Amino acid sequence: MELKLYDTLTREKREFVPIDWQDSSILADRRRVRMYVCGPTVYDFAHIGNARPVIVFDVLYRLLRHLYGEKRVTYVRNITDVDDKINARAAERGISIRDLTEETYKNFKDDVAALGCLPPDVEPRATEHIDEMKVLIERLVASGNAYVAEDHVLFSVPSMKDYGKLSKRPLDEMIAGARVDVAPYKRDPMDFVLWKPSKAGEPSWPSPSGIAAPGRPGWHIECSAMSWKHLGESFDIHGGGIDLVFPHHENEIAQSCSAFHTSVMANIWMHNGFLQVEGEKMSKSLGNFVTIRELLRTDRFGSQRWSGEVLRIAMLRTHYRKPIDWTVAGLVESEKALKTWARALLPFMAKGFDDDSNSSTEFVPRAMLVALCNDLNTPAVLAELHRLVPRVNEGSYEAARALLAALRFLGIGHLPIFGAMAAIEETDDVEKLEKFRDFVVDQMESKVQQLIRRRSEARAAKNWAQSDRIRDELAATGVE
Ligand code: AMP
Ligand code: ZN
């Protein structure tokens, strides 16, 4: 099946063929699909906008694993654990930077797991790749692409002929943007920082050669260093939110292509559109800033709990490149969809139905894979799921199996399907959840078999009242 992905660099949907598959000298079992996605800066709970690239690239990761083999895909998503915002927040809370970044990373990991996202193969931390950053910086200085000025190292933008090819911003616009904050030590207003001195109390490392004072890296060099270390000089896919195109990804390209003398950093550049909340840009000052954690617990009006599956469906209802308006109405719709699917599957919850063999990717409807291979057309995939429902409701085992497999493939019901079932009850009430679970288990075991077993247990325990109650229940089903 041909996979087509939209490439921000060429501004077109292109057929995706991994680099290793284009090189016949690479043995089949050595081939890898390599993907790098810019990860979170860990200083606070991730907001629902941050969840978008995580979910979108998780769907792509699952698709790549299906197309090329689970062991063939290397997905790297970094953790930015050195940043001004981190320093400020740690000072504000009176805790160490390490404690803050560890705590935030753990929360992030739990949040995105609740959204059904698989962990990437590698989650490199910036602070563990300072050596690689310094190697790159020293190379760039040696090749004349960077220079040292007042204890900073700056990338010289005019040294790169085709700077700006990703964002395709007009030069004067980039210069105007850069002029807002022109440091006196810059030779050109567009030059950007690779390394800077640390102030007292800030994290610091011995600087690259030529600078005596200790310092710390700029943000862009982190991703060039970590992608190099874990994926090589050029790799297949680089992703992130649309806000990263300029300057972050533009600068990554400048650094990596200049340091390695390559023309391509990543074969395909993919960017998810932005998320706004109820029609407005999400911001703390507007009071519409919402974290994943809050959504998993309550909505902003205080009570209702959304399951990870609902949040994931709400994200996948919109094509990843379009802007998404995150609304309570959208969540309600998504929950309705989940309930429809879960209810349709409920009668099939006979023993064994919910096991791996039935959720195997071989049962995923072809139409759904075709839609995913068309630049991750998830709205079309969800429409396919809805199309299956009438047949499932008519009792088609095949359709039910396809629905379950498709949900699992999308990372919905990645948790046992019971998780989704329980979540549809919209409750924190443990007793109610347990009852509901019992009900599902009842569906799984033959009702009669189960009653007979429970009656024998009651008798063995000399619990005559219970035994009689079960006898009556059995009588009611026609068994003496
Ligand atoms: P940050 O921690 O701000 O560097 O962001 C981490 C990731 O989330 C990046 O890929 C951003 O592009 C993405 N992101 C941040 N805000 C939004 C948003 N409102 N909508 C979509 N993606 C976002
Ligand atoms: Zn990055």
Side-chain angles (χ1 to χ4, degrees), residues 163 169-183 186 188-192 246-247:
Y163 182 85
R169 283 199 171 187
L171 194 65
D172 51 353
E173 205 181 277
M174 289 195 282
I175 295 172
R179 273 197 207 288
V180 176
D181 178 26
V182 184
K186 283 189 185 179
D188 185 283
M190 300 232 294
D191 294 351
F192 59 88
F246 185 84

Side-chain angles (χ1 to χ4, degrees), residues 195-441:
W195 189 267
K196 55 191 163 189
S198 297
K199 296 190 197 84
E202 287 177 347
S204 66
W205 292 265
S207 292
S209 53
I211 303 175
R216 60 198 169 111
W219 171 36
H220 314 305
I221 196 71
E222 294 177 9
C223 288
S224 283
M226 288 184 270
S227 60
W228 173 42
K229 167 88 181 278
H230 299 285
L231 298 174
E233 295 181 355
S234 301
F235 48 94
D236 294 299
I237 298 170
H238 194 318
I242 190 84
D243 57 319
L244 300 185
V245 171
F246 185 84
H248 185 53
H249 289 167
E250 199 75 77
N251 292 351
E252 280 188 38
I253 292 175
Q255 296 162 159
S256 294
C257 291
S258 303
F260 307 127
H261 308 290
T262 47
S263 57
V264 169
M265 179 183 186
N267 239 356
I268 302 248
W269 287 84
M270 291 177 70
H271 296 96
N272 62 269
F274 238 49
L275 175 147
Q276 52 174 19
V277 172
E278 304 283 358
E280 287 185 89
K281 186 175 171 355
M282 180 169 37
S283 81
K284 290 221 162 110
S285 57
L286 287 174
N288 64 353
F289 187 92
V290 51
T291 63
I292 303 171
R293 192 59 65 97
E294 281 159 357
L295 285 164
L296 287 169
R297 258 189 223 128
T298 55
D299 74 1
R300 57 208 194 89
F301 307 109
S303 61
Q304 192 175 24
R305 182 194 178 110
W306 307 103
S307 71
E309 278 100 343
V310 169
L311 302 183
R312 193 164 169 107
I313 294 165
M315 203 65 90
L316 298 179
R317 278 157 40 102
T318 306
H319 186 260
Y320 78 93
R321 280 196 282 124
K322 293 209 176 107
I324 186 170
D325 192 17
W326 188 263
T327 60
V328 172
L331 288 168
V332 170
E333 272 299 307
S334 306
E335 189 169 63
K336 219 168 92 189
L338 180 65
K339 281 184 185 176
T340 305
W341 300 326
R343 290 220 172 94
L345 286 175
L346 200 54
F348 290 88
M349 286 296 142
K351 219 171 195 143
F353 178 76
D354 187 30
D355 70 14
D356 285 348
S357 55
N358 271 333
S359 59
S360 154
T361 54
E362 78 181 278
F363 300 119
V364 176
R366 194 181 149 80
M368 185 179 131
L369 291 172
V370 168
L372 278 179
C373 284
N374 179 15
D375 195 30
L376 302 184
N377 190 350
T378 53
V381 171
L382 298 186
E384 283 299 323
L385 295 188
H386 281 300
R387 222 163 281 146
L388 282 170
V389 171
R391 279 175 53 218
V392 181
N393 285 339
E394 282 161 15
S396 161
Y397 184 86
E398 231 187 14
R401 197 170 59 180
L403 180 58
L404 179 64
L407 286 171
R408 288 278 164 86
F409 192 90
L410 279 185
I412 301 163
H414 166 69
L415 322 162
I417 196 89
F418 301 128
M421 301 275 183
I424 69 174
E425 284 299 281
E426 303 169 344
T427 179
D428 286 328
D429 182 339
V430 177
E431 215 176 84
K432 205 168 151 199
L433 281 180
E434 272 167 8
K435 265 196 209 139
F436 188 70
R437 218 164 286 214
D438 284 348
F439 168 67
V440 176
V441 171

Side-chain angles (χ1 to χ4, degrees), residues 16 18 20-21 29-37 57 60-62 64-66 68-78 118-124 226-232 234-239:
F16 175 70
D20 285 1
W21 271 253
D29 63 346
R30 289 279 172 90
R31 290 178 177 163
R32 292 288 176 275
V33 183
R34 287 163 293 174
M35 173 161 82
Y36 186 93
V37 176
F57 291 101
L60 178 57
Y61 181 43
R62 287 164 185 270
L64 293 171
R65 281 157 60 107
H66 172 69
Y68 297 97
E70 282 202 4
K71 301 226 159 63
R72 296 261 173 277
V73 185
T74 309
Y75 172 20
V76 180
R77 185 181 63 214
N78 73 288
L118 301 170
D121 298 285
V122 193
E123 282 187 282
M226 288 184 270
S227 60
W228 173 42
K229 167 88 181 278
H230 299 285
L231 298 174
S234 301
F235 48 94
D236 294 299
I237 298 170
H238 194 318

